[in-house]
Amino acid sequence: MKRMSPDIAQGLLGVQKDGRLSPCPDMPNCVCSMFPSDESHTITPLSFVGSPQSAKEKLKRQVSEMSRVTLAVEKEFYLRFEFVSLIWRFVDDVEFLIDKDAQKIHIRSASRVGYSDLGANRSRVESIRERWLASSP
């Protein structure tokens, strides 16, 4: 059964009024670093040293080099990419929010449709983390 993610249906993408990314819906096709008490959806944020602008440019470059991805939104401390699956052409939204004070990059990756993603969003974020760590000093 295909279910549309509340992210799109309710406009929950982007930085919310509380200054955070949205929590994951009650579906297994989402991960987010901003809500560590949500154990089934939590993922560790990225860390950076140096300026938030440099971290953002590095992240933008690294993610843009991945397959079937488009940069959809760019703001001062926020990026949203759209990843399209190879066969079924499903879209997943991957958001990054830079916390300049904590030197962390929070991540949220969620499917737009469906219920289970068979771990695709978590796997994608871990792939991004591997790229990030491999290029860190």
Side-chain angles (χ1 to χ4, degrees), residues 102-120:
Q103 291 194 302
K104 301 280 184 202
I105 301 174
H106 285 285
I107 308 163
R108 183 178 189 279
S109 184
S111 300
R112 285 191 186 176
V113 296
Y115 181 76
S116 176
D117 66 350
L118 304 174

Side-chain angles (χ1 to χ4, degrees), residues 18-121:
D18 65 0
R20 301 191 299 178
L21 300 173
S22 294
C24 288
D26 189 23
M27 295 187 281
N29 61 5
C30 177
V31 294
C32 184
S33 66
M34 297 205 88
F35 303 91
S37 62
D38 182 1
E39 293 178 19
S40 66
H41 296 108
T42 195
I43 197 148
T44 305
L46 303 175
S47 296
F48 68 91
V49 292
S51 76
Q53 292 78 14
S54 295
K56 180 180 141 188
E57 289 305 314
K58 174 183 166 182
L59 182 64
K60 189 167 74 168
R61 182 178 58 255
Q62 288 181 344
V63 175
S64 294
E65 291 172 353
M66 297 175 78
S67 299
R68 299 176 308 281
V69 63
T70 303
L71 176 61
V73 177
E74 179 177 359
K75 296 185 179 177
E76 185 177 14
F77 297 110
Y78 174 82
L79 296 168
R80 181 171 62 86
F81 291 88
E82 295 174 349
F83 282 81
V84 179
S85 66
L86 182 61
I87 297 172
W88 296 104
R89 314 298 292 163
F90 293 133
V91 178
D92 293 344
D93 294 288
V94 182
E95 301 176 277
F96 299 93
L97 179 60
I98 300 171
D99 181 340
K100 61 183 176 151
D101 297 326
Q103 291 194 302
K104 301 280 184 202
I105 301 174
H106 285 285
I107 308 163
R108 183 178 189 279
S109 184
S111 300
R112 285 191 186 176
V113 296
Y115 181 76
S116 176
D117 66 350
L118 304 174
N121 282 291

